[in-house]
Amino acid sequence: MSIRIGDIAPDFTAETTEGTIRFHEWIGEGWAILFSHPKNFTPVCTTELGYMAGLQPEFARRNTKIIGLSGDPVEAHGNWMVDIQETQGHAVNYPLIGDRGLEVAKLYDMIHPNAESHGPRTAVENQTIRSVFLIGPDKKIKAMLIYPMSTGRNFDEVLRLLDSVQLTAAQMVATPVNWKPGDDVIIPPAVSDEDAKKKYPQGFKTLKPYLRTVKQPQ
């Protein structure tokens, strides 16, 4: 099945390093980041998992849980997690799904639906399992990122993306290019000038009739 922004994130039951979870139940009433990896002991993914462990308190502060996935069984994750802490300086402090059968990878359209799951697979065979899914409290996909196996993901950008998505979900605004928290935001065209004047009595800037900016609402 194809996964698109706005779709309900497929629910699943899986074994993780923190026990069996049912995904929607595990998310609860908050937000979630699901990020996937082709295989254990891959160098780029090792750096990513460690960096996300360092960022975990920032995600928690935003009421967001993070969960990783690797195309290897849970029982194989332990030694990799030791390597991650040793080389990256952070212990993995979030669950890591074991997806040896590729069930979750196929459910989220990260790998060909006919990919064979029996027997050992190489990282190259699983190279498309390199996605990030941002999921809202309504269990809908809010954003997706897909990277090649050779390029480390920018998880500072994922945090910035989360800030934007949470802000625009709470306020009728949009964020411009390279926006960071605290920067001015855009008033969407769906908001009339009359309504904008009521909502922003402090005023806003009109660059074009369709491009109006205002101080970020709190």
Side-chain angles (χ1 to χ4, degrees):
M1 62 181 291
S2 296
I3 302 294
R4 298 178 177 86
I5 289 174
D7 288 347
I8 296 291
D11 197 13
F12 58 85
T13 299
E15 296 301 317
T16 81
T17 51
E18 297 184 5
T20 304
I21 66 162
R22 185 169 179 84
F23 190 50
H24 283 190
E25 182 180 284
W26 176 84
I27 292 173
E29 301 302 316
W31 298 71
I33 302 286
L34 168 65
F35 65 113
S36 61
H37 308 84
K39 194 171 178 63
N40 292 359
F41 303 104
T42 47
V44 173
C45 298
T46 297
T47 65
E48 293 175 337
L49 285 160
Y51 195 81
M52 278 294 266
L55 279 182
Q56 192 274 340
E58 288 297 319
F59 285 104
R61 191 164 64 84
R62 293 160 171 82
N63 192 28
T64 301
K65 294 180 177 181
I66 58 177
I67 188 166
L69 175 148
S70 176
D72 274 321
V74 170
E75 56 268 24
H77 291 347
N79 289 338
W80 190 25
M81 292 169 74
V82 171
D83 285 1
I84 291 165
Q85 181 173 7
E86 178 184 337
T87 62
Q88 306 305 308
H90 293 288
V92 174
N93 48 12
Y94 49 84
L96 185 59
I97 297 166
D99 196 31
R100 174 169 51 187
L102 306 178
E103 289 93 349
V104 181
K106 291 179 180 180
L107 191 62
Y108 276 74
D109 197 30
M110 293 187 278
I111 198 166
H112 194 281
N114 295 327
E116 295 288 341
S117 59
H118 64 269
R121 290 177 61 88
T122 67
V124 171
E125 288 176 303
N126 288 356
Q127 64 182 295
T128 56
I129 308 178
R130 289 275 294 159
S131 298
V132 180
F133 298 92
L134 196 165
I135 301 162
D138 58 1
K139 310 303 183 291
K140 290 184 178 180
I141 303 281
K142 305 301 182 181
M144 299 183 295
L145 299 168
I146 303 172
Y147 279 66
M149 193 167 65
S150 58
T151 300
R153 286 169 279 196
N154 185 338
F155 286 112
D156 291 329
E157 164 60 12
V158 174
L159 195 63
R160 188 197 75 92
L161 173 61
L162 175 64
D163 284 335
S164 173
V165 171
Q166 289 187 336
L167 173 65
T168 58
Q171 304 282 347
M172 188 173 276
V173 297
T175 57
V177 63
N178 295 333
W179 174 87
K180 298 183 294 296
D183 289 352
D184 288 354
V185 296
I186 291 171
I187 302 171
V191 178
S192 68
D193 279 349
E194 181 179 351
D195 288 341
K197 289 173 183 176
K198 294 176 183 177
K199 186 174 179 63
Y200 305 110
Q202 75 276 20
F204 54 90
K205 184 184 295 185
T206 300
L207 304 175
K208 292 289 183 181
Y210 60 86
L211 180 54
R212 299 162 296 167
T213 61
V214 69
K215 184 177 180 180
Q216 177 186 321
Q218 299 303 313

